[in-house]
Every structure is written in structure tokens, then in C-alpha cells.
Amino acid sequence: MRKPNLTDVSIFAAVVEAGGFRAAAQKRGLSASSLSDCMRRLESDLGVRLLNRTTRSVTPTAAGERLLERLRPALQEIDAAFNDLDDDAQRPVGTLKLNVPVPVARFLLPDLLARFLRLYPGISVEVVMDNTFVDVNAGGYDAGVRYEESLAKDMIAVPIGPRRQRFVAAAAPRYLAERGTPTHPEELPGHDLLGHRFESGKVGVFEFHRDGRVVRIPPQGQLLTSSHDLKIRSAINGLGIVYTFEDFLREPLSDGRLVPILEDWWQAFDGPFLYYHGRRHMPSPLRAFVDFLRAEGQIAESSGVFGAVS
């Protein structure tokens, strides 16, 4: 086995992450044929086939997947080192890759990123929505956003967004007129509850809190879905009771399409955190984003919107 060229190694990672030669070539400003030549040379140097190529897709072989898993942290460190050479504290450059849950992408990031990107025109942001916890390094991300119960102890966590959030229960006026308005969570088993199935296959439980007491009700009804939009539209159409993030229901509650119920029992919880692995050379876009969140937290702390950032 000959020692491989580092450029060929980085192109291998780029092709896998982009899902093909054409997409990777566009990102790199090269031709697809030149990338294909690099991959053939790398496979020849290593004596191992790294990619499965078809007319429709390019995917890593088992050997390629194992190699890429080991290479990603090293390639990220190399990128960070070169970014630090071109960068200064005032003008960070590069791409910030984030993995975030759907509610964060829909309700928190749009305004937050608008402010951040105006401050740093040399930075671009790539956001992938995913409700399951991921290893950000293994997935090729700079950082993720999750809630505290999902964070590993070896992660660095920085508060992002409102520090307290709630689940809100609601139903359409039509549904409540026909089925009655529950006044206690223990009355819910007699109602149609619109259930949510997570990517893991687990079905969410309606969990209510008051004065130290917790009541958990498994959803039972005619609809079980992984789509927040379908669940909310179904509630508006009178199919049952929905229990979800307050932000999802803010508009239909304000215009009367949904009516809040069991308000004294709504579950409150800590807001989300940006999390990442501590590394000696933090990529400059991530460093800028963390500094930005610290500044946002210090500015908003006095108004009670953010908690202190440590």
C-alpha cells in the first residue's frame, strides 16, 4: 500500500458527504471527472475499493465507511488549522455545520442566524434537521442543538434561545363542544389524543406537571404521526387534542382555531443548548457563533429571555 495523497483523502470525504461526484465538484469548483480520477488513484494507492458507484448514487463501501469514521475528526482539525491561518478575530471565514431538531430550525434559528450572518459575512451556515441525538463529530457537524436530557457529559454545552419552554395542550372549539373540555389530565383517556411517533419509533406520552405531581397519559386516538404539521392541522380540523411545543401552537391559539386546555398542568422545561466536542483548534465559524451566543445571552439576560451563558 502506497502512502495516499492528502488531497485525495479530503476529496473522498467530500464525495461521500455530498452524495456524489457532481455535487462535490460543484462545492469544490472542480470537474466531476477530476474528482473521479482522484478517487481511482486513492483506491489504487490503498488497494481497497472505497465507493460503490451506480448511475444513480455513490455510497461508501463498508471499508470506506470505516475509514471515513476515523478520518472525519482529523480532517476537521486540518480545516480548523487552515481557517485559523487566514482568519482574524474580526473576520472569521468558513462554513458552520449544525444539526438541530425541527422546532429549533423552525422557530429559533431564522431570527438568530439573520443577526449572526449579518455580523459575519465571511461565514456560511449549513443546517440539517434531525430530532434524534447525533455524535456531531462522527456526523461531520461542527455542533448540534439539543435539550439537556440528551447531552452527553463530555460535551461543551452553551445555552441558545429562551431558557424556559412549555408543552401546550389544545383542541378546536368544535371538538370541545362535541366531546367536552377536560379539567384534569386523568380525564384524557376518554378523549382522542393526537399522538407523535419519533424517528426512534417511540411514541410520545402526554406528560403533565403540577405541584410536584406528574401525570403521564399514552395517546389514544385515530391519528399517530411523525409530522408536527399534520398533527396540528388535524387538531384544528377537530380530530382530537394536541400536546406539543408552545411555538407550534402560538398562531392557531392566537386566532382562535385552537383553545388552550389544562393550562395549570402544562409541562415546562429548560430551553435548548448548543453542544460540541472540546477541541484544541475550534473552527473559526463555530468560535464566532459561540461568542455571538454569549453576547446575545448577556444582552438579553436582563430582560429574562436568556439565561447566563457560561
Side-chain angles (χ1 to χ4, degrees), residues 2-308:
R2 288 185 295 179
K3 185 177 180 180
N5 183 293
L6 185 58
T7 300
D8 294 345
V9 172
S10 68
I11 285 174
F12 163 57
V15 169
V16 173
E17 289 175 6
F21 288 99
R22 183 174 299 177
Q26 290 175 344
K27 287 187 175 182
R28 294 239 166 180
L30 301 170
S31 68
S33 61
S34 65
L35 266 62
S36 182
D37 289 341
C38 290
M39 279 306 310
R40 280 195 291 270
R41 180 170 60 238
L42 178 61
E43 289 177 325
S44 175
D45 288 344
L46 297 177
V48 176
R49 184 161 59 89
L50 301 175
L51 295 176
N52 292 315
R53 304 166 177 84
T54 70
T55 56
R56 293 179 178 271
S57 66
V58 176
T59 58
T61 63
E65 190 65 53
R66 290 195 303 271
L67 178 62
L68 189 58
E69 186 176 348
R70 296 287 300 276
L71 287 174
R72 276 192 180 114
L75 291 172
Q76 289 169 355
E77 289 294 334
I78 291 171
D79 286 342
F82 282 118
N83 281 342
D84 284 346
L85 289 177
D86 316 339
D87 187 26
D88 59 50
Q90 303 302 317
R91 296 192 303 168
V93 296
T95 299
L96 174 65
K97 295 183 178 181
L98 300 176
N99 184 289
V100 308
V102 171
V104 169
R106 288 187 61 174
F107 301 111
L108 172 60
L109 285 188
D111 291 341
L112 195 67
L113 290 182
R115 297 192 296 273
F116 173 67
L117 293 175
R118 287 191 191 103
L119 286 174
Y120 299 101
I123 292 177
S124 60
V125 177
E126 181 179 329
V127 178
V128 172
M129 293 191 299
D130 186 348
N131 287 321
T132 60
F133 181 76
V134 298
D135 183 328
V136 288
N137 268 5
Y141 302 100
D142 296 301
V145 177
R146 290 297 184 274
Y147 289 84
E148 188 172 14
E149 68 273 11
S150 300
L151 299 178
K153 294 186 183 301
D154 61 345
M155 296 287 182
I156 297 174
V158 178
I160 179 172
R163 298 324 308 142
R164 291 297 285 173
Q165 293 184 288
R166 296 186 298 181
F167 283 120
V168 169
R174 169 187 168 188
Y175 175 88
L176 297 175
E178 293 174 354
R179 302 289 298 276
T181 301
T183 59
H184 193 284
E186 291 176 350
E187 297 174 18
L188 290 177
H191 285 267
D192 287 320
L193 308 183
L194 302 173
H196 188 87
R197 186 182 293 279
F198 296 97
E199 288 91 336
S200 64
K202 182 180 178 181
V203 175
V205 173
F206 285 31
E207 184 172 306
F208 298 90
H209 294 202
R210 190 174 76 176
D211 299 331
R213 186 180 177 193
V214 178
V215 179
R216 296 181 178 89
I217 308 294
Q220 292 183 346
Q222 291 182 285
L223 179 66
L224 177 64
T225 178
S226 61
S227 167
H228 291 286
D229 291 333
L230 176 58
K231 184 172 55 176
I232 294 162
R233 290 296 305 174
S234 297
I236 291 170
N237 290 333
L239 288 184
I241 295 171
V242 64
Y243 190 48
T244 189
F245 281 90
E246 184 172 13
D247 284 327
F248 279 117
L249 302 184
R250 199 175 300 279
E251 186 175 320
L253 285 172
S254 66
D255 62 24
R257 288 178 293 163
L258 291 177
V259 176
I261 61 172
L262 301 172
E263 294 176 71
D264 291 342
W265 287 87
W266 290 350
Q267 180 187 0
F269 49 92
D270 289 337
F273 292 81
L274 180 84
Y275 72 96
Y276 57 95
H277 287 286
R279 290 184 291 190
R280 187 173 180 182
H281 298 290
M282 184 188 295
S284 61
L286 176 59
R287 182 175 63 245
F289 193 51
V290 170
D291 290 344
F292 168 78
L293 293 179
R294 288 197 174 100
E296 287 269 308
Q298 290 165 359
I299 291 169
E301 185 180 357
S302 61
S303 68
V305 178
F306 287 75

